[in-house]
Amino acid sequence: MRVALVVMPFAGADRPSLAAGLFKALLRDRGIPCDCKYFNLTFAGLLGYEPYQRLSKFAYSHMLAGEWIFSQIYFGESFSSWESYSHEILDDPVWGVGKEYRDTIHRAAAVAPVFLRIAYESCDWSQYDLVGFTSTFEQTLSSLCLARMIRRSHPHIRIAFGGANFEGPMGSPYFEIFPEIDYISTGEADLSFPQLCENLAAGIDEVPPGILSRAGSSSEQRPQPVSLEDLPVPDYDEFFPAHARAFPGVGPTGVMLEASRGCWWGQKRHCTFCGLNGMTMTFRRKSWQRVARESSALEERYSPSYLIFADNILAMDYFSTLLPHWADGAGRAGKFFEIKSNLRREQVALLKRAGIAHVQSGIESLSDQTLELMDKGVSAAQNIALLRWCRELGVDAQWNLLFGFPGEDLDDYPRTHGIMQKLSHLPAPRTCGSIRVDRFSPNFERWQEKGFLEIRPLSGYRHVFPGDDEGLRSLAYYFEYRHPHSDRLQELARDVVDFGAVWLRRSDGGTNGVFEVRRHLDGGWVLRDTRFNREDAALRLTERDLLLLRLCDSPTTQKALFEQAGALSGCTERQIRETHDALLEKEALCEVGKKIIALPLFPNELREIPLSPTKEG
């Protein structure tokens, strides 16, 4: 028994596949020879690194461009063409893209046939008994094109598919359209896929739970969740030589690993727009000692610049175990995690000391009411505080601004635009856009209850797969929608989207300016404002100003602020209110919902001064 695991476009070219690395190690431990084929790197080498990353790392998912490119090879122009795809998808008045992205898609479509021939002819497929394809995001049609080529010349080879695009009910419809598929994994396959390989090697027809078979021998049982502690360290030995051949002198950014699966917040309150965990929401994590050993092993073997954790959310107990271990000097590589935005400043500081310099911060809105619709369990003021602390401490906080929920307060659009303008010294959202409805999310599962009038597969699916909306509904992950104000979203969000684009360019270019408290030459303190969308200004700060700013370092209410400031300063409520109002006018304080939060950055020198009664009475 010999297995090939194939990674096709458009998996990222800057990191190995976690699924392929994990399955290779699992099969190796069972004595089953396995080779990983990183053909995504082959395609990236032909197309060029930057254009490839544009399609993979920075893809517009609603366009399904990567799938469309290879659908044109698999199906021809039987139901789509460059002209129809361009007109209906790329020229969409809301979701359309510019010339550079269009040109990249067109060029990739021209490269695709040559790439497939190279991928097929570069390997002696006859040596394999089973070829497995992993498909997350836009890898399905490229994989099916190569699978068809293999099947035509080597009909004895079994073909298996798995990954997020086949999860749960999305798996079985592929049998009806694509005759080359023999097996489909519809969920976690850490146990079932190696067992399938062992069964095939022994001539056993039985299919493990979690695997569908074209022969109809599929098990009715769902697989048991795997114990993460028992999984091996991923094997990425074949990725790095392949990357060096494709891109001499260009090092990959990191390696993938996981500390947990599922989402501990989603177990309590499933964010309404999130479908990431599919059918495996239950949160499971590895012991901190195991994560530390695995991280060290991957660093020692591959010397990556970054460890990229695939977790949906950072486990909170790691703040008292794993992160202090890393902060004490264990490990050299930087780290990436997704986090929840309810962290305290000292926790953000610990992230930095532990080498977690890049985070997906879980910030999706600057409106309390919209955050409540999302079931995020945080306030807008908390989100702002996290962005400010990350900027102060040197943690790169990536975030997105989402809108378009049924039941939104439409006045939040201009309010959000106003808040964004005040935050222009902080990291900009990577995207400002309307939500999708994703399969497995509460918005999908209970769309009528959530206020949607209609949901249907994204229009791009009609250009990738044959069939009508009803047929496509069974395999689609992304859905369009109508609700009472959906037709007005472009108009409502125009200022938000336009400013977000300008802010992002400025932020990425380092020209968005500063808004911070600085020590003055005479020993006092000054508020310096050079935000790109504001006139340069400097304001001398009184002790009362500083007191109120520091009391609003974390979100607080006006009542609590006035009580604390009065107790520390001995000032009257009128004096405190005058200071509060002046700081609001200067945008040093910001009222968001029922909370107040300070906006300028604080220097460490100021933070080291204890809060104490002021001299102003």
Side-chain angles (χ1 to χ4, degrees):
M1 182 70 182
R2 191 174 190 90
V3 175
L5 296 175
V6 182
V7 182
M8 292 291 277
F10 284 86
D14 57 353
R15 64 196 68 177
S17 163
L18 176 59
L22 191 53
F23 286 131
K24 180 179 173 78
L26 286 162
L27 293 173
R28 177 201 63 208
D29 290 352
R30 296 195 183 207
I32 299 174
C34 174
D35 301 317
C36 290
K37 310 288 184 181
Y38 283 95
F39 289 134
N40 62 317
L41 300 179
T42 306
F43 192 92
L46 292 171
L47 184 63
Y49 187 81
E50 293 302 326
Y52 184 85
Q53 288 292 84
R54 193 175 300 128
L55 287 175
S56 61
K57 193 173 183 180
F58 307 110
Y60 297 89
S61 59
H62 58 278
M63 294 183 175
L64 300 176
E67 300 289 25
W68 179 85
I69 288 165
F70 286 93
S71 176
Q72 287 289 286
I73 297 175
Y74 194 98
F75 294 111
E77 295 188 348
S78 57
F79 53 83
S80 182
S81 65
W82 173 250
E83 290 73 21
S84 64
Y85 178 71
S86 297
H87 176 68
E88 295 180 25
I89 306 302
L90 303 184
D91 293 340
D92 185 272
V94 177
W95 300 107
V97 292
K99 184 177 185 301
E100 184 180 33
Y101 197 83
R102 294 168 65 98
D103 289 348
T104 301
I105 298 171
H106 198 268
R107 184 178 161 202
V111 168
V114 177
F115 155 73
L116 284 171
R117 180 54 54 186
I118 292 172
Y120 176 74
E121 294 181 353
S122 68
C123 178
D124 176 12
W125 297 102
S126 65
Q127 65 182 305
Y128 298 107
D129 300 286
L130 184 144
V131 177
F133 293 88
T134 176
S135 178
T136 301
F137 302 115
E138 298 183 27
Q139 296 173 268
T140 302
L141 265 297
S142 59
S143 298
L144 285 160
C145 286
L146 183 57
R148 183 170 64 177
M149 297 170 76
I150 295 170
R151 173 53 54 84
R152 285 174 174 173
S153 299
H154 306 283
H156 72 283
I157 297 177
R158 307 293 181 91
I159 304 290
F161 273 73
N165 285 332
F166 300 90
E167 187 169 5
M170 295 187 294
S172 60
Y174 284 88
F175 282 138
E176 301 175 12
I177 307 173
F178 302 102
E180 46 278 325
I181 303 178
D182 296 303
Y183 304 103
I184 292 175
S185 171
T186 60
E188 291 184 357
D190 311 88
L191 302 177
S192 57
F193 182 72
Q195 187 61 55
L196 172 67
C197 295
E198 285 191 339
N199 290 357
L200 293 175
I204 299 173
D205 291 333
E206 182 180 346
V207 176
I211 301 284
L212 304 180
S213 169
R214 178 175 294 279
S217 55
S218 309
S219 171
E220 296 283 333
Q221 296 177 297
R222 292 183 62 181
Q224 291 296 316
V226 66
S227 168
L228 301 186
E229 205 78 6
D230 296 335
L231 294 177
V233 176
D235 185 333
Y236 297 134
D237 286 0
E238 287 147 310
F239 173 81
F240 289 91
H243 193 280
R245 289 192 300 270
F247 308 107
V250 179
T253 60
V255 297
M256 300 287 293
L257 67 163
E258 59 183 349
S260 67
R261 293 183 187 175
C263 180
W264 55 261
W265 175 253
Q267 284 185 200
K268 302 175 185 177
R269 293 168 60 185
H270 190 172
C271 294
T272 58
F273 62 90
C274 180
L276 286 180
N277 290 288
M279 304 174 70
T280 53
M281 181 65 76
T282 302
F283 186 69
R284 293 160 287 153
R285 56 148 183 74
K286 297 174 182 175
S287 68
W288 77 266
Q289 296 94 333
R290 165 60 199 273
V291 179
R293 290 195 303 269
E294 187 170 339
S295 301
S296 296
L298 289 169
E299 282 193 62
E300 183 177 349
R301 189 169 186 85
Y302 302 116
S303 300
S305 55
Y306 270 91
L307 299 175
I308 305 165
F309 283 83
D311 306 37
N312 290 150
I313 192 168
L314 175 63
M316 293 302 290
D317 60 334
Y318 286 164
F319 279 98
S320 60
T321 53
L322 178 63
L323 270 59
H325 170 76
W326 281 334
D328 285 341
R332 303 176 304 278
K335 304 167 188 73
F336 168 87
F337 268 98
E338 293 194 27
I339 63 172
K340 189 168 173 59
S341 63
N342 63 341
L343 301 185
R344 303 185 303 276
R345 190 179 190 277
E346 58 265 30
Q347 291 173 314
V348 179
L350 180 55
L351 290 176
K352 178 65 173 180
R353 295 199 305 274
I356 303 174
H358 297 270
V359 297
Q360 169 53 257
S361 56
I363 295 171
E364 275 93 21
S365 180
L366 300 174
S367 159
D368 282 352
Q369 197 243 14
T370 300
L371 288 165
E372 188 173 339
L373 289 175
M374 293 179 178
D375 266 344
K376 289 293 291 186
V378 295
S379 69
Q382 283 177 290
N383 287 343
I384 294 170
L386 180 71
L387 284 175
R388 186 165 56 85
W389 294 333
C390 285
R391 180 67 182 268
E392 287 179 352
L393 292 162
V395 176
D396 172 34
Q398 301 171 19
W399 64 290
N400 301 303
L401 186 67
L402 303 180
F403 51 80
F405 294 83
E408 288 175 321
D409 181 349
L410 301 189
D411 289 336
D412 273 339
Y413 284 90
R415 276 195 290 263
T416 294
H417 178 233
I419 293 170
M420 292 169 69
Q421 292 181 310
K422 297 175 184 179
L423 305 182
S424 57
H425 58 299
L426 301 178
R430 303 311 304 175
T431 60
C432 295
S434 176
I435 59 166
R436 297 182 312 255
V437 172
D438 291 359
R439 187 181 292 273
F440 305 118
S441 70
N443 281 346
F444 175 82
E445 301 287 354
R446 307 195 306 275
W447 60 272
Q448 290 170 304
E449 172 191 326
K450 294 298 181 181
F452 294 94
L453 303 175
E454 177 190 11
I455 63 170
R456 59 185 180 276
L458 276 183
S459 299
Y461 284 106
R462 297 197 300 272
H463 292 268
V464 173
F465 298 100
D468 56 16
D469 278 357
E470 192 57 38
L472 296 174
R473 184 179 294 266
S474 61
L475 53 76
Y477 182 82
Y478 302 128
F479 290 79
E480 301 171 347
Y481 54 83
R482 283 193 311 109
H483 60 62
H485 68 271
S486 57
D487 292 342
R488 298 180 55 200
L489 287 180
Q490 187 178 13
E491 169 199 347
L492 289 166
R494 182 175 291 111
D495 290 342
V496 168
V497 172
D498 289 349
F499 183 77
V502 175
W503 183 11
L504 181 60
R505 287 196 299 271
R506 289 281 194 161
S507 182
D508 283 350
T511 62
N512 52 330
V514 300
F515 190 38
E516 60 187 7
V517 176
R518 290 181 179 177
R519 175 68 83 172
H520 195 270
L521 293 177
D522 67 5
W525 299 92
V526 63
L527 179 65
R528 184 77 175 106
D529 186 358
T530 65
R531 290 171 292 177
F532 72 89
N533 56 321
R534 296 290 189 261
E535 291 186 9
D536 285 9
L539 172 70
R540 289 297 297 265
L541 296 171
T542 67
E543 290 191 32
R544 197 186 304 155
D545 292 329
L546 289 170
L547 177 63
L548 265 66
L549 285 173
R550 294 184 66 189
L551 289 175
C552 294
D553 184 35
S554 297
T556 187
T557 63
Q558 186 182 97
K559 182 175 184 294
L561 172 64
F562 285 13
E563 288 177 353
Q564 288 179 289
L568 286 168
S569 69
C571 296
T572 66
E573 182 175 334
R574 181 183 60 80
Q575 291 173 312
I576 294 169
R577 183 176 295 278
E578 288 175 353
T579 303
H580 162 270
D581 292 348
L583 291 172
L584 281 176
E585 184 180 352
K586 295 293 184 182
E587 299 181 350
L589 294 181
C590 182
E591 287 185 335
V592 189
K594 298 178 180 179
K595 298 292 181 67
I596 303 173
I597 185 69
L599 298 188
L601 309 183
F602 298 167
N604 285 334
E605 182 185 2
L606 178 62
R607 291 185 177 280
E608 290 169 358
I609 300 173
L611 276 174
S612 58
T614 71
K615 299 174 184 178
E616 299 177 58

